[in-house]
Amino acid sequence: MIEKINNLKKEILDKLSEIKDSKALADLEVFYLGRKGEFTKILRDISNVVPEKRAAMGKAANQIKKEIQEKVNEFKMQFESKETQEGEEDITLPGVKFETGHLHPITQLQYEMEDLFTSMGFMTLSGPELESDYYNFEAINIPPYHPARDTQDTFYIDSKNKEGENDLVMRTHTSSVQVRAMQKHGAPLKAIVPGRVFRSEATDVRHEHTFYQVEGFVIDRDITFSHMKGILELVGKKLFGPETKIRMRPKYYPFVEPGSNGEYTCFLCHGKGCNLCKKTGWLEILGSGMIHPNVLRAGGIDPDEYQGYAFGFGLNRLAQLRYKTDDVRLFNSGDLKFIKQF
Ligand code: DAH
């Protein structure tokens, strides 16, 4: 009997030395040591042995079983650590970083402006990028013969109307949405229009053919220039810090009368004069003015009853100033090395 047990032990140990993975090891364990296993059967047979020998034999058999079980456990541990190294994840390793991306710096600025203006009761509107000559120019007081057309190098689209004119353009500014908004919403009206605009520009470090603006306008009874100045000063403080001041200087735009440029104290030198502000202490940031009566009329609003102001910011210029970028073209370059900095 003992010999039979020892043979089985040898058989088991031989098989163990050939086993390659934990699955085969588990099968072997069941086959020999399981409830109906070969080794278990022999142990059961011990009950038939004559009583005088039974105790000693049982003890010896249990000892052998213990040895085999220990050997099996040893293999089990070996396989487990090996398989962890090969297949399973080692949770102590540093993880793989997910690239999540983020909003484009100009979009961030746009959203900031939208939040600010909506907090002051402005609607956020949009309009078509491919626009009619009418809304882009005529409706806002720039008739076909007007020399102001030359200040905006326009992409005319190659489609002619009955009169043989190119009547579709890539909008040159978001002011094109002014009359659309008046026709749709009437007065009183308080809205901003963020959006993309296009000019047939020879590009350089300060000029792009495709860029972003935020247009704004307020139309109501008894609206004055000082209402506009107040709002625009607040925007300046929000953009460049609470100590920012504004000054308005006359500037001609056909769709406003009077027209003005809005300038903020330079955030770099705080008005003392530096290279950024060309030693003037002021940064020219926006165009603005009181909406021309012809524009109100085109929008179906009676200029004797309502007045309004309008303004336009260039978002690329704002972003260029804020991030002190020397070349504005970087923003649309698609260069991830640049974009990932924001
Ligand atoms: N549309 C002008 C431009 O693109 C900016 C502008 C100037 C908008 C004066 C206005 C304004 O609303 O009143 O250069």
Side-chain angles (χ1 to χ4, degrees):
M1 186 93 193
I2 280 292
E3 201 186 327
K4 210 171 162 189
I5 292 175
N6 272 325
N7 284 345
L8 202 53
K9 177 184 169 187
K10 189 166 175 300
E11 188 183 321
I12 294 174
L13 293 181
D14 284 350
K15 289 226 167 121
L16 259 181
S17 64
E18 283 165 20
I19 280 206
K20 299 234 159 36
D21 56 41
S22 52
K23 165 88 178 54
L25 182 70
D27 290 347
L28 178 133
E29 195 178 2
V30 171
F31 185 79
Y32 289 108
L33 304 176
R35 255 184 341 111
K36 292 181 180 158
E38 293 299 307
F39 200 88
T40 318
K41 268 189 218 154
I42 290 182
L43 289 186
R44 242 181 247 131
D45 287 346
I46 291 176
S47 56
N48 302 329
V49 171
V50 286
E52 305 86 74
K53 292 190 181 166
R54 203 182 296 155
M57 198 166 287
K59 209 174 155 200
N62 272 326
Q63 178 59 32
I64 291 171
K65 188 184 172 190
K66 212 174 134 204
E67 278 170 39
I68 298 172
Q69 189 66 60
E70 273 168 12
K71 209 72 197 159
V72 168
N73 290 348
E74 217 173 87
F75 272 80
K76 222 184 250 178
M77 298 237 298
Q78 265 178 30
F79 285 135
E80 268 168 18
S81 72
K82 195 160 157 244
E83 280 163 14
T84 305
Q85 275 168 24
E86 282 170 1
E88 292 168 30
E89 272 181 38
D90 179 350
I91 56 163
T92 63
L93 283 174
V96 181
K97 205 173 157 196
F98 281 106
E99 292 254 9
T100 49
H102 60 74
L103 293 175
H104 190 282
I106 291 185
T107 312
Q108 292 178 27
L109 248 175
Q110 179 186 320
Y111 286 2
E112 229 175 89
M113 295 283 255
E114 287 179 16
D115 285 348
L116 175 60
F117 280 103
T118 34
S119 78
M120 298 190 289
F122 284 70
M123 292 190 281
T124 302
L125 302 177
S126 62
E129 292 178 347
L130 178 58
E131 182 56 283
S132 65
D133 184 282
Y134 176 74
Y135 284 115
N136 194 76
F137 292 125
E138 278 202 66
I140 55 170
N141 208 30
I142 316 175
Y145 56 81
H146 202 287
R149 291 217 174 190
D150 296 341
T151 63
Q152 299 191 346
D153 299 304
T154 311
F155 285 117
Y156 285 94
I157 300 303
D158 199 10
S159 71
K160 299 207 187 315
N161 62 14
K162 277 188 234 121
E163 284 77 43
E165 293 153 351
N166 291 97
D167 60 352
L168 286 179
V169 299
M170 296 306 287
R171 67 176 176 195
T172 57
H173 49 191
T174 41
S175 308
S176 59
V177 186
Q178 281 193 19
V179 167
R180 286 182 175 278
M182 292 176 205
Q183 288 173 340
K184 185 161 182 200
H185 300 283
L189 181 59
K190 235 173 141 184
I192 56 162
V193 185
R196 188 159 54 167
V197 303
F198 310 85
R199 306 245 175 119
S200 176
E201 293 267 8
T203 65
D204 60 36
V205 291
R206 288 192 58 188
H207 295 93
E208 258 287 24
H209 50 71
T210 301
F211 54 101
Y212 292 81
Q213 294 187 332
V214 174
E215 179 83 8
F217 35 87
V218 172
I219 300 167
D220 207 336
R221 294 189 170 90
D222 305 321
I223 291 290
T224 69
F225 195 90
S226 49
H227 290 128
M228 173 171 74
K229 194 177 171 194
I231 289 275
L232 292 176
E233 180 165 343
L234 211 132
V235 177
K237 288 183 191 302
K238 188 82 185 168
L239 287 174
F240 299 117
E243 65 294 333
T244 309
K245 293 191 183 60
I246 189 169
R247 75 175 181 187
M248 311 296 286
R249 306 221 292 174
K251 170 93 195 265
Y252 173 71
Y253 295 101
F255 29 89
V256 281
E257 180 59 35
S260 48
N261 259 350
E263 301 182 2
Y264 294 122
T265 39
C266 175
F267 61 89
L268 253 197
C269 62
H270 303 289
K272 285 192 210 68
C274 66
N275 281 342
L276 184 69
C277 58
K278 299 199 201 96
K279 310 268 187 268
T280 63
W282 296 90
L283 294 169
E284 206 181 297
I285 299 289
L286 57 100
S288 58
M290 301 305 291
I291 300 176
H292 196 289
N294 285 350
V295 179
L296 291 172
R297 265 185 224 110
I301 293 171
D302 180 358
D304 292 328
E305 204 180 333
Y306 288 100
Q307 302 77 46
Y309 62 81
F311 53 85
F313 287 87
L315 283 181
N316 295 55
R317 167 137 170 82
L318 279 181
Q320 194 180 7
L321 285 171
R322 170 180 277 190
Y323 301 116
K324 302 186 190 69
T325 334
D326 43 18
D327 190 339
V328 75
R329 290 170 294 190
L330 284 165
F331 287 105
N332 289 357
S333 66
D335 182 350
L336 287 180
K337 264 198 270 163
F338 173 74
I339 292 299
K340 278 182 174 172
Q341 296 175 79
F342 305 101

